[in-house]
Amino acid sequence: MQEQTAILEFKGVAVRSASSQISGISQIDFSLGRGEIAVVSLEEGREHIPLAPLAQGLLTPDSGCVLFQGADWAHMKAARQSVERGRIRRVYEHYGWVTNLDVMENLCLSECHHTQRTRDEVMQEIRGLARRFGLEDIPEARPTRVHGMVLRKLEWVRALVGTPSLIILERPLFGAPKADAPKLMEAVCEASRRGVAVLWLTEDERVMECRSLGALRQFRMDGEKLVAVSSGRESDG
Amino acid sequence: MSFIASIGQGAINLYHRIRWVVSISTAIVQLAFHPSSWTKPVRAVLTRQIVFTGYDAIGFVAVVALLTGISVVVQAQVWMGRLGQSELLGPLLVTVIVREVGPLLVNFIVIGRSATAMAAELAGMKVRHEVEVLDSQGLDPLVFLVMPRAISMALSVFGLAMLFVVFSFGSGYLCGAFLGTGPGDPGIFARSVVRGVSSYDFYNILAKTLIPGLLTGVIAANEGLSVEGVATDIPQAVTRTVVRATLAVLVVSVIVSVLTYI
């Protein structure tokens, strides 16, 4: 039987620390298949680990390579990179909004740009997902006028809209009510059951301990290295 | 030696900058003719930019055109009448207003009013990492940020220049008629102007509005997006935009003028 192509693959990836806020990483090797969830545990207060920008081809590694759906980001043309990034959703560790667009435009942006879906259709899905996280209305204001907690939950909504291949969650529970964490985990599990691969960077131990997260593989950052804590597959070291 | 080296380095830098702006402008024109570039969000940006750069500027351009028309057209009417060359009024007005003053003033207005705002807006987005947010969602900054802004600037400069010509001729004629310096009959005035227009003027005004408008948009976007993470660099990016876009407009204007008369 032919082996299925991994959604995301890091092969001997190393990046030198570019600033005091961004951590260097070395010899990162792992792959993430369809429907798999990889949780990377981070120490509290640790500087930014550039796994998300690497996974999206926004940062070129100093050595090694990152493959998305079997293709090396470094060998893709810019137009192809944009199309592939349209299949990735992300909750950002830093501010993840475009301030000259209102919140709904921000939420619809990727889906309206990359698919033929109508805006009304996308908005309907967004409203449904928002209700799931306790948001009855989507604010009509620009993001700078919306409360940080609401924006954080709306980032979860944006990450779940449409049919992405990969969802990257960078400390998604930061700034969100603790009571809502299970709702996010449940939504992520559902996405994973639909075949979406999930890369979840967290400081929150509850995510590591959450048994409801189906095909869960756990890692932790040990200095600059990624260490497998428990692997859903035997092939991982 | 170091003096000569610095001149050489300056020339090399200028060459690289010009090559960069020309290559981005070419890429934008190519992208603009590609239907797949015009997704719903990109069209929305284009519409918004045309409203801001073109529609919102109509009032100010109209005022400048009215004042220019009064000063230029009335003076031309008076002096051509005194010199007994009234039949040359049309060609003279077309040369001054349509070929030179109209496109130049509109370009300068757009630089001061919109290009500065665009450079500051994009520089702010860069500082706040919003460009990375767009890029990470698969929205190429060249397609989503630069192309619709540059195209809207080119179209707006063209549209505003046409309005400028109409308003300045209109105001000049009315003022001349009021002061008794003009031909009186609007038909005579209109025919005189139309006689002065040649097919070259059509290409001339197209070249002096669309090309500088596009270059202004590209320069503003380039300066804004070249800011590296520090908010204090934003005013410098705006200043560079004004200086470089003004130079670009003047250089294109001179080249087109020379080509028109060769």
Side-chain angles (χ1 to χ4, degrees):
Chain A
M1 205 171 102
Q2 201 179 2
E3 198 178 321
Q4 223 176 19
T5 309
I7 299 288
L8 180 67
E9 204 168 352
F10 279 59
K11 286 183 173 175
V13 173
V15 174
R16 280 188 295 277
S17 174
S19 72
S20 57
Q21 281 100 40
I22 299 176
S23 169
I25 53 174
S26 65
Q27 288 307 311
I28 303 278
D29 281 288
F30 81 97
S31 67
L32 199 54
R34 271 174 58 85
E36 285 186 325
I37 302 175
V39 177
V40 179
S41 171
L42 308 171
E43 299 149 37
E44 208 169 321
R46 173 153 189 173
E47 64 271 45
H48 180 64
I49 311 277
L51 289 179
L54 283 165
Q56 292 196 287
L58 297 167
L59 182 65
T60 308
D62 293 318
S63 64
C65 62
V66 181
L67 280 70
F68 179 68
Q69 296 190 323
D72 188 344
W73 283 113
H75 297 146
M76 283 185 217
K77 287 188 173 170
R80 165 100 191 270
Q81 285 184 338
S82 294
V83 171
E84 297 298 342
R85 282 180 199 131
R87 300 191 173 104
I88 302 174
R89 300 282 184 271
R90 177 172 164 192
V91 171
Y92 300 83
E93 188 167 317
H94 56 75
Y95 188 74
W97 299 87
V98 179
T99 46
N100 60 12
L101 301 176
D102 68 31
V103 169
M104 187 53 101
E105 284 175 310
N106 267 281
L107 294 171
C108 295
L109 199 55
S110 180
E111 200 65 6
C112 285
H113 186 72
H114 293 288
T115 70
Q116 296 296 318
R117 296 175 73 190
T118 64
R119 193 175 143 94
D120 286 343
E121 199 183 320
V122 178
M123 281 164 62
Q124 203 176 345
E125 187 188 354
I126 286 167
R127 290 205 176 90
L129 284 163
R131 273 194 291 275
R132 192 171 174 173
F133 297 123
L135 297 170
E136 287 307 313
D137 293 310
I138 307 291
E140 287 175 10
R142 292 190 174 188
T144 45
R145 300 197 174 274
V146 178
H147 193 280
M149 193 177 72
V150 175
L151 282 182
R152 180 49 84 180
K153 287 200 212 176
L154 287 171
E155 279 202 60
W156 301 351
V157 169
R158 183 172 58 186
L160 294 160
V161 171
T163 51
S165 303
L166 171 67
I167 296 176
I168 303 170
L169 306 164
E170 286 185 296
R171 305 186 211 225
L173 300 172
F174 184 75
K178 285 195 173 197
D180 284 328
K183 291 180 191 168
L184 176 63
M185 290 180 200
E186 192 187 314
V188 167
C189 278
E190 280 181 26
S192 133
R193 281 196 286 273
R194 291 198 305 270
V196 180
V198 180
L199 176 62
W200 189 327
L201 282 73
T202 184
E203 293 171 348
D204 197 317
E205 287 302 317
R206 286 174 302 172
V207 181
M208 293 293 270
E209 290 158 8
C210 183
R211 294 291 118 203
S212 67
L213 290 173
L216 178 67
R217 300 165 59 209
Q218 299 171 323
F219 299 88
R220 69 181 165 80
M221 288 303 297
D222 183 12
E224 292 192 343
K225 289 192 163 33
L226 187 70
V227 179
V229 176
S230 81
S231 172
R233 285 187 280 160
E234 288 178 3
S235 57
D236 282 313
Chain B
M1 184 63 187
S2 65
F3 175 69
I4 294 170
S6 67
I7 291 175
Q9 192 58 52
I12 290 168
N13 290 344
L14 180 66
Y15 166 72
H16 284 307
R17 258 204 312 274
I18 291 171
R19 200 177 67 166
W20 173 252
V21 169
V22 170
S23 62
I24 296 288
S25 304
T26 310
I28 282 170
V29 172
Q30 283 173 346
L31 278 171
F33 282 105
H34 217 279
S36 64
S37 304
W38 297 102
T39 63
K40 285 183 283 278
V42 177
R43 292 201 301 268
V45 175
L46 178 79
T47 309
R48 211 170 289 170
Q49 289 297 321
I50 285 179
V51 169
F52 171 65
T53 308
Y55 181 77
D56 288 353
I58 287 176
F60 183 54
V61 168
V63 171
V64 175
L66 291 176
L67 296 173
T68 308
I70 290 168
S71 59
V72 174
V73 178
V74 171
Q75 281 192 65
Q77 285 173 341
V78 169
W79 284 104
M80 297 313 276
R82 282 185 192 174
L83 294 169
Q85 301 287 331
S86 296
E87 73 280 3
L88 292 176
L89 178 67
L92 178 72
L93 287 180
V94 168
T95 302
V96 176
I97 301 276
V98 179
R99 290 187 193 167
E100 302 298 334
V101 176
L104 267 183
L105 276 181
V106 168
N107 271 300
F108 291 154
I109 289 170
V110 168
I111 289 171
R113 195 184 163 278
S114 305
T116 50
M118 186 195 292
E121 180 197 22
L122 294 179
M125 289 180 77
K126 187 79 189 296
V127 168
R128 292 188 297 271
H129 301 288
E130 291 176 19
V131 177
E132 190 190 322
V133 170
L134 288 170
D135 210 2
S136 71
Q137 294 182 70
L139 287 111
D140 184 341
L142 187 68
V143 175
F144 185 72
L145 294 176
V146 184
M147 182 189 73
R149 282 169 171 80
I151 296 291
S152 75
M153 209 156 261
L155 295 176
S156 298
V157 170
F158 174 72
L160 289 170
M162 299 310 280
L163 278 178
F164 184 97
V165 168
V166 171
F167 279 124
S168 56
F169 280 166
S171 71
Y173 166 74
L174 288 175
C175 188
F178 179 72
L179 297 172
T181 57
D185 182 357
I188 295 173
F189 179 75
R191 275 194 295 278
S192 164
V193 170
V194 170
R195 263 202 310 272
V197 178
S198 68
S199 58
Y200 289 117
D201 292 306
F202 176 70
Y203 299 118
N204 185 290
I205 200 164
L206 273 179
K208 284 190 174 181
T209 54
L210 293 179
I211 297 172
L214 185 77
L215 291 178
T216 299
V218 170
I219 289 168
N222 184 42
E223 295 302 333
L225 293 174
S226 61
V227 167
E228 286 295 339
V230 190
T232 48
D233 288 350
I234 296 176
Q236 289 162 24
V238 173
T239 306
R240 281 197 304 272
T241 298
V242 173
V243 172
R244 289 174 182 174
T246 304
L247 277 174
V249 166
L250 287 170
V251 168
V252 171
S253 181
V254 166
I255 291 171
V256 174
S257 290
V258 169
L259 289 176
T260 305
Y261 290 107
I262 286 177

